[in-house]
Amino acid sequence: MLWALMEDEFFNRASWQAMLNREGMPPSSASIGLLRRQDFAARRGTLLLWRSDAAGCRADLREYSGTPGDDVAILLVADDKALATVQEDGWQPLPILIRQGRLHPYMLKTLDELEEAGLAGFVEDLGLVFPKH
């Protein structure tokens, strides 16, 4: 029953929007995608997008068929409990969830592209580093 409630909550755009309104997001020309672990494994499901532009932050949903799309710079894949934690607590638990292996970040752009898109600071906040050669 708890799993069904968390799964339904994943589709609650208003709840994600409230989190984005609390946390903010840097203006960016690219999106951050969130995907449930089972959808990532199945290569099919629903992708939640965090977008930010001059009009503000917004949460959108779209179909996932194995690729997140060219507009997604960072893909966060997590279990249902980790997603519920992020939805409730915002950015703060992200580094802990990564270290626990409950959330897996995938950088889909180079560091230069992330910097250009305005997301390099977000990557640093996750506790991730890009080696400089």
Side-chain angles (χ1 to χ4, degrees):
M1 180 70 164
L2 179 61
W3 179 82
L5 289 173
M6 286 188 296
E7 182 180 13
D8 290 344
E9 194 61 23
F10 180 75
F11 298 108
N12 184 343
R13 282 187 27 201
S15 181
W16 285 110
Q17 188 63 54
M19 187 279 295
L20 287 174
N21 291 344
R22 270 191 331 267
E23 297 292 317
M25 186 175 152
S28 177
S29 58
S31 301
I32 298 170
L34 278 80
L35 195 59
R36 293 176 298 176
R37 187 172 285 160
Q38 63 267 26
D39 291 352
F40 183 74
R43 300 183 55 81
R44 172 165 242 76
T46 301
L47 179 68
L48 174 77
L49 296 169
W50 293 337
R51 302 174 189 263
S52 180
D53 55 27
C57 301
R58 66 186 184 281
D60 292 321
L61 296 170
R62 77 170 174 222
E63 184 179 340
Y64 174 75
S65 298
T67 59
D70 291 340
D71 60 326
V72 178
I74 301 168
L75 180 63
L76 304 175
V77 177
D79 64 46
D80 288 322
K81 286 184 180 180
L83 289 169
T85 299
V86 173
Q87 195 172 35
E88 186 172 316
D89 298 335
W91 307 134
Q92 184 180 10
L94 288 174
I96 294 166
L97 294 169
I98 291 169
R99 284 191 302 273
Q100 292 173 341
R102 296 180 49 217
L103 185 143
H104 299 276
Y106 295 91
M107 303 306 124
L108 306 178
K109 306 288 184 192
T110 66
L111 179 57
D112 289 341
E113 291 170 320
L114 289 169
E115 285 177 352
E116 186 178 311
L119 293 174
F122 180 81
V123 172
E124 289 176 14
D125 291 345
L126 294 177
L128 304 174
V129 295
F130 281 87
K132 301 243 180 188
H133 298 317

